Amino acid sequence: MNHRHNRNGLTRRQLIKGLGAASLLPLVGSAPFAIGGQHAGRVIVVGGGFGGATAAKYLKRANPAIDVILVEPNETFYTCPFSNLHLGGLREMDAIAHGYDELEERYGVRVIHAMAEDVDAEAHKVTLSTGRELDYDRLVLSPGVDMRWNALEGYDEEAAEKAPHAWKAGAQTELLRSQLEAMDDGGTFVMVAPDNPFRCPPGPYERASLVANYLAQHKPKSKVLILDAKDNFSKQGLFTAGWERLYGDRIEWVGLSNDGRVTRVDADRLEVETEFGTVHRADVLNVIPPQKAGWIAERAGVTDDSGWVPVKPETFESRQVDDIYVVGDATVAAPMPKSGFCANAQAKVVAAAIAASLESRPAPEAYWTNTCYSLVGPEYGISVAGVYRVQDGVIAEVEGAGGLSPADAPDATRALEAEYAVGWYNAICQDTWGTPLGGRVT
């Protein structure tokens, strides 16, 4: 195998493996997170996913005197990363379940299990579903995404109970899994994939892969049909080569130019209609609709007409409302993708920036890394990596610092990438929440 080397003599494989472990490290220039600072303040963090939980933890690591309150309605958080393995019958839900005990007991984060229902930015108050009001000096929103209901005609919350999106891990994941298990051999699993931007750009194609792997073992006469609202997708060449290698013609992908854009959904009949009137019937229908920032972001006044949140690239403070910082999938942070790794990295930058602002210090220089692993099969992994800095007032990818898995890699390399994916998942979840509720994933 031909390895490409950087100027320090590292192979690209070593570099990507290192980036996978980088979720354990604070990503804020050379300034370490250290105990210190005599000035206190209150920071409320809304949302306990990769972004919010990381922000809460690293705020307390930056200065334990800061009063950090994490507001999250669920006592258990199920990750979207690795939820596709559950759909494919390769992992139990317990393996992607995480709690908040370590944040409370080790770091002193106060966790309130309630819904944040409103934000009064002028008064610096958050209203909870319990009726309680919380004052803040700084507010961190990590609201994830919401579905744009009825952006596809006929696809609303009721329809999602028959044609699940499963784009928020949990009950929807379990529903789609049960439908897949109940599908007759010879049935068709139809997936509707949205146009950009949306949460986890490679996610639909990993899902199609692992569903195809399940079908090959348990329902060999069945197939997967992907109807896509775009002509290109993340890691496309690597995915399609893997599909051909592992599944033959079991997966069919129809892009925008070939009438792949779905415009109407009939969840009762498990039918979808495309832009030019073609009707496809599914035995199991997985509709991933267009998305927007989680609704509390709109209540806080930080979204723009796109439905997403514009942020100041140096600190991820809202461009529209002072003292509110937003991390994760809800933000406009291109070219960074909407990924769990990016949410984790952005949260560390935000924690450093807030800790500095509460002490009237300038924020440290920010940079971010992202590594995204996808499993085409249980022992067939692919990845993309990137490094990002602020250049000329915008977030830009550092040229030559990332890249894709080699297109011509042997099976042994693909198997190693699959192992790295598990190591990455364990590392980033440990960094975010601590020990998983179901133990380490192996």
Side-chain angles (χ1 to χ4, degrees):
M1 176 181 173
N2 236 348
H3 290 290
R4 288 180 289 172
H5 289 72
N6 65 15
R7 68 183 62 185
N8 295 318
L10 290 174
T11 66
R12 185 190 169 284
R13 175 63 42 229
Q14 290 169 318
L15 182 61
I16 285 186
K17 187 178 180 182
L19 285 173
S23 63
L24 293 174
L25 302 174
L27 303 176
V28 283
S30 59
F33 283 89
I35 294 176
Q38 301 301 312
H39 304 286
R42 173 180 284 181
V43 180
I44 297 174
V45 181
V46 175
F50 284 101
T54 303
K57 172 180 175 177
Y58 276 82
L59 277 161
K60 293 298 282 188
R61 285 188 61 180
N63 184 352
I66 299 173
D67 181 19
V68 179
I69 301 174
L70 176 63
V71 178
E72 163 57 48
N74 299 306
E75 293 187 12
T76 301
F77 185 88
Y78 294 94
T79 60
C80 286
F82 272 41
S83 64
N84 286 333
L85 277 78
H86 179 67
L87 289 175
L90 301 171
R91 295 286 185 273
E92 296 299 323
M93 286 295 285
D94 283 352
I96 59 170
H98 303 274
Y100 301 95
D101 288 351
E102 184 168 308
L103 291 179
E104 292 185 283
E105 296 168 6
R106 181 174 178 182
Y107 294 98
V109 175
R110 291 197 285 158
V111 180
I112 298 176
H113 291 297
M115 181 76 72
E117 291 200 336
D118 203 4
V119 175
D120 185 334
E122 186 172 346
H124 282 55
K125 292 180 182 292
V126 175
T127 302
L128 306 184
S129 53
T130 59
R132 183 178 177 183
E133 288 189 343
L134 299 174
D135 297 320
Y136 67 84
D137 296 294
R138 305 289 186 272
L139 173 62
V140 179
L141 299 180
S142 184
V145 299
D146 277 344
M147 307 303 138
R148 292 183 180 269
W149 301 118
N150 291 307
L152 302 178
E153 180 186 340
Y155 195 71
D156 55 16
E157 291 179 84
E158 183 178 350
E161 294 305 309
K162 301 168 184 174
H165 54 77
W167 222 236
K168 292 185 178 183
Q172 280 269 305
T173 313
E174 296 277 44
L175 175 59
L176 187 58
R177 171 67 183 160
S178 66
Q179 291 179 347
L180 184 61
E181 289 179 317
M183 185 179 78
D184 291 336
D185 190 11
T188 302
F189 180 96
V190 176
M191 174 191 292
V192 176
D195 197 1
N196 296 321
F198 64 98
R199 162 181 280 173
C200 191
Y205 315 100
E206 179 189 68
R207 176 174 292 180
S209 304
L210 297 182
V211 167
N213 180 73
Y214 168 79
L215 296 177
Q217 296 179 57
H218 301 284
K219 304 176 193 291
K221 298 177 183 177
S222 298
K223 64 174 292 185
V224 176
L225 173 63
I226 308 168
L227 300 171
D228 208 327
K230 52 193 177 298
D231 274 328
N232 301 286
F233 60 85
S234 177
K235 297 184 256 189
Q236 183 168 354
L238 293 170
F239 271 114
T240 54
W243 292 345
E244 183 177 355
R245 167 80 174 79
L246 299 178
Y247 309 119
D249 60 358
R250 190 179 300 278
I251 299 175
E252 180 184 0
W253 174 76
V254 181
L256 173 65
S257 297
N258 291 318
D259 195 25
R261 185 198 297 274
V262 167
T263 57
R264 186 181 65 83
V265 176
D266 187 331
D268 291 322
R269 297 173 62 88
L270 296 181
E271 290 181 350
V272 295
E273 183 177 345
T274 60
E275 197 167 19
F276 298 112
T278 305
V279 175
H280 298 269
R281 191 180 187 286
D283 294 279
V284 173
L285 180 57
N286 173 211
V287 178
I288 306 168
Q291 295 151 40
K292 61 181 180 178
W295 69 276
I296 192 64
E298 184 176 347
R299 296 289 295 174
V302 295
T303 57
D304 63 14
D305 290 342
S306 72
W308 303 103
V309 180
V311 293
K312 299 174 184 178
E314 299 85 0
T315 61
F316 274 62
E317 185 178 11
S318 164
R319 285 190 179 275
Q320 299 178 181
V321 182
D322 292 341
D323 297 331
I324 298 181
Y325 298 73
V326 187
V327 297
D329 297 338
T331 62
V332 178
M336 272 192 283
K338 298 183 185 298
S339 74
F341 196 121
C342 284
N344 174 276
Q346 292 162 9
K348 293 170 182 176
V349 167
V350 163
I354 289 175
S357 74
L358 290 172
E359 298 184 7
S360 301
R361 295 185 287 105
E365 181 182 356
Y367 66 91
W368 307 264
T369 65
N370 177 61
T371 302
C372 178
Y373 290 97
S374 299
L375 293 176
V376 184
E379 298 181 357
Y380 193 113
I382 58 177
S383 65
V384 61
V387 180
Y388 308 89
R389 288 188 182 275
V390 179
Q391 298 177 9
D392 300 322
V394 298
I395 297 169
E397 189 164 4
V398 178
E399 188 175 350
L404 286 163
S405 299
D408 57 352
D411 288 349
T413 299
R414 301 296 189 218
L416 278 174
E417 291 244 51
E419 290 182 23
Y420 296 160
V422 175
W424 166 83
Y425 181 80
N426 285 330
I428 196 169
C429 291
Q430 179 73 39
D431 185 45
T432 303
W433 297 281
T435 305
L437 295 178
R440 292 178 66 80
V441 179
T442 57

